[in-house]
Amino acid sequence: MPDLHAELALALARRAERGEPGGTRDRVLARGAEWSVTDVVCTSGPGDRPFEERHERVGIALVLAGSFRYRSASGRGLLAPGGVLLGNAGQCYECGHEHAAGDRCLAFQLAPELFERVASEVGARASERRFRLPHLPPLRALAPLAMRCATALAAGAPIDWEATALEVAARAVTLTAGLPDGGRRPPPPGLEAAVARAVRRIEREPEGEHTLAGLAAAAGASRYHFLRAFERATGTTPHQLVLRARLRSAALALAAGRARVLDVAYDAGFGDLSNFNRAFRAELGASPTAFRRALAAQRETGGTIPSSRA
């Protein structure tokens, strides 16, 4: 099965072997005059200083693997796989890896003029054409788009990166407009570190047994306090993060080979095929079989992955 974490793991191992400081490796996948898409692998860890930078263009980054803390004038949060970093042009920001090393993101950058046109075309008011939130949590509305990007990177599925960049911008605008203002107080540092460890554990073994009781016990907290801390830090619940991690694992397995849907479901941690089919369709808008058939057809014809549902 293709592994979105493989390049990150290799980069972290190489860094440890060479004794190098953490840093980023940027690989431009596609670009135009007003947009670009870059695969970014970061090897910074708890021993490195937070990374301080300025968004030269509008920045929208989909987190593929790992986790990190992000802070800007819009607020702060813990970014987990499936989450989306949001940055306004000219805005300063800070990324840190106090809790664990490494992350991998797909970074979309748009010229302010292009972003303004996209925002206008989706009906955003003038006040909504700058992000008021620092990030989006893993949301079902983003899942088909995120999976399209993941299968393109991990399984070589064809994709139109320019169209995807424009859709990413449109989704970011409409979703932030519909969400309440941030205002979530971050959890205490100790609990935030425990949440980050839980996120990494879920990401590493999505098929594992990840109960709220077990995660809370590992954090040394009550279920109620751990759940609140998890939601405040990531914008989602442990159950939702586990479900999306399992569906992501299953979708990549379906994109990569000919394994039976039943085997893919069990390998991803689903104990019941009908539940897997329902969850897959609800998240990605197609049955597992239809999803794999569409990818196969696109490879044969050289077409690109179509836009996800609205």
Side-chain angles (χ1 to χ4, degrees), residues 34 46 50 118 210 219 246 294 302:
E34 296 183 293
V118 171
H210 303 296
R246 289 176 176 176

Side-chain angles (χ1 to χ4, degrees), residues 18-264:
R18 297 175 179 173
E20 299 172 340
T24 60
R25 185 231 61 189
D26 300 351
R27 178 168 61 101
V28 177
L29 302 175
R31 62 156 53 113
E34 296 183 293
W35 61 275
S36 66
V37 185
T38 307
D39 180 17
V40 181
V41 175
C42 178
T43 58
S44 293
D48 296 298
R49 293 183 60 184
F51 179 79
E52 298 178 8
E53 191 53 271
R54 181 174 180 269
H55 292 288
E56 296 301 327
R57 292 182 162 193
V58 177
I60 307 169
L62 173 64
V63 184
L64 301 173
S67 61
F68 60 94
R69 288 179 63 207
Y70 174 70
R71 184 198 305 268
S72 72
S74 304
R76 54 162 282 188
L78 179 69
L79 275 292
V84 180
L85 177 155
L86 303 173
N88 296 303
Q91 186 177 54
C92 295
Y93 68 94
E94 177 185 276
C95 289
H97 292 76
E98 295 92 329
H99 309 310
D103 70 83
R104 186 179 183 186
C105 294
L106 194 58
F108 298 87
Q109 295 191 339
L110 288 85
E113 299 78 14
L114 175 60
F115 182 76
E116 181 82 12
R117 292 198 299 273
V118 171
S120 174
E121 288 167 4
V122 298
R125 299 189 296 268
S127 61
E128 297 169 343
R129 297 174 193 175
R130 281 183 65 84
F131 295 127
R132 57 185 175 76
L133 302 175
H135 68 96
L136 291 170
L139 297 171
R140 175 172 288 178
L142 290 167
L145 180 56
M147 189 49 58
R148 191 187 332 155
C149 294
T151 54
L153 275 182
I159 190 168
D160 182 338
W161 283 120
E162 181 177 13
T164 302
L166 296 176
E167 187 177 353
V168 164
R171 288 297 180 93
V173 169
T174 55
L175 287 170
T176 53
L179 290 176
D181 283 327
R184 288 195 315 263
R185 290 185 300 112
L191 262 183
E192 184 178 74
V195 168
R197 288 193 297 272
V199 167
R200 295 281 179 142
R201 179 178 162 190
I202 292 167
E203 180 187 18
R204 212 166 39 242
E205 300 175 352
E207 74 286 353
E209 185 80 11
H210 303 296
T211 64
L212 177 58
L215 294 172
S222 71
R223 285 176 290 178
Y224 174 71
H225 281 105
F226 180 78
L227 178 61
R228 286 190 64 201
F230 199 100
E231 289 183 302
R232 281 162 57 182
T234 68
T236 190
T237 67
H239 173 76
Q240 290 166 336
L241 197 68
V242 170
L243 176 63
R244 295 204 165 103
R246 289 176 176 176
L247 290 171
R248 184 165 57 247
S249 175
L252 290 174
L254 289 167
R258 298 179 178 276
R260 295 188 308 163
V261 171
L262 177 65
D263 294 332
V264 168

